Amino acid sequence: MTHPADTPDRTPRRAWYHEVAPRQWKALSAAWLGYLLDGFDFVLITLVLTEVADDFRLDTATAASLVSASFVTRWLGGALLGGLGDRHGRRTAMITSILLYSLGTFACGFAWDYTSLFAARLVIGVGMAGEYSTSVTYVLESWPGRLRNRASGFLISGYPAGTVVAAQLYAWVVPAWGWRWMFRLGLLPVLVALWMRRSLPEAGDWQAEIAAAGGGNGAGHEERPNPFRSLFGGRLRRLVNGAVAMVASVALCCAFTPLGTGFVPWAATVATLCLVAFAAQLGGRGGRLLYVALMATVFCAFLYSWPVQALLPTYLKSDLGYTPRQVGDVMFFAGFGTMAGCWLAGFTGDLLGTRRACAYTLLASLAFVFPVFAVRGSLVGLGVLIFVLLALGQGISGILPKYIAGHFPTATRAASLGFVYNVGALGGAVAPVLGAQLARGMPLGRALAVLTFGLTLLVVVLVGGDVPRRLARLVSRQVPGDQLVSGPQRGADAEGGADAARGDASAGATQ
């Protein structure tokens, strides 16, 4: 007699998009729009960097630190707003994040010098970090389990869409009205936040877990998740970690501004030690290596991607002599290339598994890195190569949130993702400064190519080899696989889950 499991399933399978309920599409659409506006607000500084430098009489390295400024506060914003999302809901934290980065961008339009503009960029960093962690968890926890790579890719495609809109407006607004008006348009996301507040449901996974614990039925706040209990559980611990947070913030400001001239390595070392101390406490005995390894992975991902993202407009204007309209045209290709890559990454991730999709796509991108910076006379040729490079190399970032978030449980996912990702995002602060420094000894284009190629290879090893999870298992065998996927697994994600299950079984047998 044949076992039912051996009988082929001949039931017609619905198209994947029919598996997504209207409320889930609505959640994705709202978060995607918020992420588009996030990308629009954030990329403005890279587009007007040369104009700001001329207006405030800044050299290239000092001007590049304005790009880095928003990364200085991202670790704090990601953790705090992520914690807000874990405790009070993803939707509330997402709306708060949008308000913060839109008001910060609006303030940039009234900056009177380098310091005031840097301060406004710090506010943008807090909001942007919160937007990433809360929007990602909101959408991933709202969509069906087997389609969450797709959900991640679709969501992150909103960011390059924002860069496309910003690039087109740059070509129209700046020549006519100046760079300040680009930032004053940043107040528009407030209207989107008000609409979100009225119309959006809460994320399904979060609501189910809070309801199961009683926190959604009028219970007290003590029953809601508190991801920072390990950091601020007692009076002495609160005082010590509060001081550590202040030291980390000051050290980061010194590392990425002229304030730290002469002792940048020391400031960077102090900041690193402080952030690793937080990671060790948040991860606990079993998760310390996991948190630190994920931070390092994201750091390297930013180092390979952000030199191009941050300094491409500068390269086009300074090395190739492009006009603002030509820069806008190339950025149009770049933005749509990244968007297409995010969509491709989502489908590929659901087919092959998140890790394999990431590794294979990044390897393919290496063939296009040096050709991009070898093109001189053809705007169309450069645009096509940029499209392909960013589709393969940066589009894969569409499933990076899925890869990272899958390491954490629902109750602490937004705070853990927010902290780990945004500490790693300091690579984005280092990248433009590092690119500018390398450009002092070689052409800017070659510096960007070298950074992109070398760090891409490193990310392939870290993600493709599942290094963070493997390191975590050196400390504890009970490390679960992908916690965002339900049902039968495929590819790399299935292997991670199977390894975890075997680890759990062997650990239980020895106790």
Side-chain angles (χ1 to χ4, degrees):
M1 185 176 74
T2 33
H3 192 276
D6 298 327
T7 305
D9 183 7
R10 302 185 184 280
T11 305
R13 196 168 194 176
R14 294 186 302 166
W16 67 268
Y17 46 83
H18 289 148
E19 299 178 38
V20 186
R23 63 179 177 80
Q24 294 168 328
W25 282 114
K26 184 176 183 180
L28 174 66
S29 300
W32 185 89
L33 183 57
Y35 216 60
L36 178 147
L37 295 168
D38 186 3
F40 174 87
D41 282 1
F42 188 78
V43 80
L44 292 183
I45 190 65
T46 69
L47 290 168
V48 301
L49 199 59
T50 53
E51 287 85 359
V52 170
D54 290 342
D55 202 2
F56 293 155
R57 299 181 181 178
L58 307 175
D59 59 39
T60 302
T62 303
S65 71
L66 291 170
V67 180
S68 304
S70 59
F71 289 92
V72 170
T73 51
R74 282 186 63 156
W75 72 274
L76 184 61
L80 292 179
L81 290 169
L84 178 67
D86 285 333
R87 192 165 177 83
H88 297 289
R90 315 305 195 203
R91 183 183 64 177
T92 299
M94 185 168 62
I95 293 166
T96 303
S97 301
I98 292 173
L99 291 174
L100 278 173
Y101 74 65
S102 60
L103 292 174
T105 301
F106 185 66
C108 288
F110 297 92
W112 57 91
D113 60 7
Y114 169 83
T115 303
S116 58
L117 185 54
F118 191 93
R121 297 284 300 164
L122 295 178
V123 177
I124 292 174
V126 174
M128 184 181 185
E131 167 69 8
Y132 185 95
S133 57
T134 56
S135 290
V136 163
T137 51
Y138 178 71
V139 171
L140 291 179
E141 293 174 1
S142 298
W143 266 50
R146 82 173 193 91
L147 300 176
R148 286 179 172 176
N149 277 298
R150 239 162 283 198
S152 181
F154 291 156
L155 172 64
I156 302 303
S157 72
Y159 184 91
T163 69
V164 170
V165 173
Q168 295 306 302
L169 283 177
Y170 169 77
W172 299 334
V173 172
V174 173
W177 297 316
W179 62 268
R180 293 179 183 277
W181 275 100
M182 288 291 290
F183 290 107
R184 290 168 184 170
L185 293 172
L187 198 60
L188 295 177
V190 172
L191 302 177
V192 176
L194 295 175
W195 168 71
M196 285 182 172
R197 180 68 183 88
R198 291 176 57 87
S199 65
L200 288 186
E202 187 50 82
D205 287 6
W206 182 87
Q207 193 157 17
E209 183 151 324
I210 294 302
N217 296 318
H221 288 300
E222 67 275 8
E223 297 186 25
R224 295 198 174 214
N226 182 4
F228 301 124
R229 185 174 286 113
S230 60
L231 294 179
F232 304 105
R235 184 172 183 273
L236 179 60
R237 191 178 289 268
R238 281 198 300 270
L239 291 173
V240 171
N241 283 323
V244 171
M246 291 183 63
V247 170
S249 300
V250 171
L252 287 170
C253 281
C254 291
F256 296 113
T257 68
L259 290 175
T261 301
F263 53 94
V264 169
W266 293 102
T269 301
V270 169
T272 300
L273 291 174
C274 291
L275 295 174
V276 169
F278 280 136
Q281 294 177 76
L282 287 171
R285 180 175 298 179
R288 291 171 183 167
L289 283 179
L290 176 67
Y291 274 60
V292 174
L294 286 172
M295 284 159 41
T297 301
V298 177
F299 186 86
C300 292
F302 270 81
L303 277 184
Y304 91 72
S305 65
W306 263 89
V308 174
Q309 288 193 56
L311 295 177
L312 180 60
T314 299
Y315 165 72
L316 296 173
K317 287 183 279 188
S318 63
D319 286 31
L320 301 186
Y322 280 11
T323 65
R325 185 166 295 279
Q326 289 174 315
V327 171
D329 290 340
V330 174
M331 295 301 291
F332 184 85
F333 280 102
F336 271 105
T338 307
M339 283 180 65
C342 288
W343 301 333
L344 174 65
F347 284 92
T348 307
D350 285 334
L351 178 65
L352 301 177
T354 309
R355 292 191 296 106
R356 286 179 180 167
C358 185
Y360 295 161
T361 308
L362 286 178
L363 282 173
S365 75
L366 295 177
F368 298 91
V369 174
F370 285 98
V372 160
F373 295 100
V375 174
R376 291 286 169 178
S378 172
L379 189 150
V380 174
L382 176 60
V384 171
L385 285 173
I386 283 284
F387 180 95
V388 177
L389 173 63
L390 296 195
L392 296 173
Q394 296 189 21
I396 201 64
S397 65
I399 59 174
L400 185 61
K402 163 66 171 54
Y403 169 72
I404 300 169
H407 290 83
F408 306 116
T410 304
T412 60
R413 181 171 293 138
S416 298
L417 171 66
F419 178 79
V420 164
Y421 180 85
N422 288 293
V423 169
L426 286 168
V430 174
V433 176
L434 183 58
Q437 292 293 338
L438 284 177
R440 291 180 174 178
M442 65 179 74
L444 179 58
R446 186 184 303 168
L448 298 180
V450 168
L451 283 174
T452 301
F453 192 93
L455 273 298
T456 298
L457 277 178
L458 184 54
V459 173
V460 168
V461 173
L462 291 171
V463 177
D466 204 16
V467 172
R469 193 174 273 116
R470 290 178 187 274
L471 289 175
R473 287 178 185 149
L474 296 176
V475 178
S476 171
R477 296 280 295 173
Q478 299 185 24
V479 178
D482 191 339
Q483 299 187 63
L484 267 171
V485 185
S486 60
Q489 298 312 308
R490 312 170 100 183
D493 299 331
E495 294 164 7
D499 290 343
R502 286 193 293 271
D504 293 346
S506 61
T510 58
Q511 286 176 353

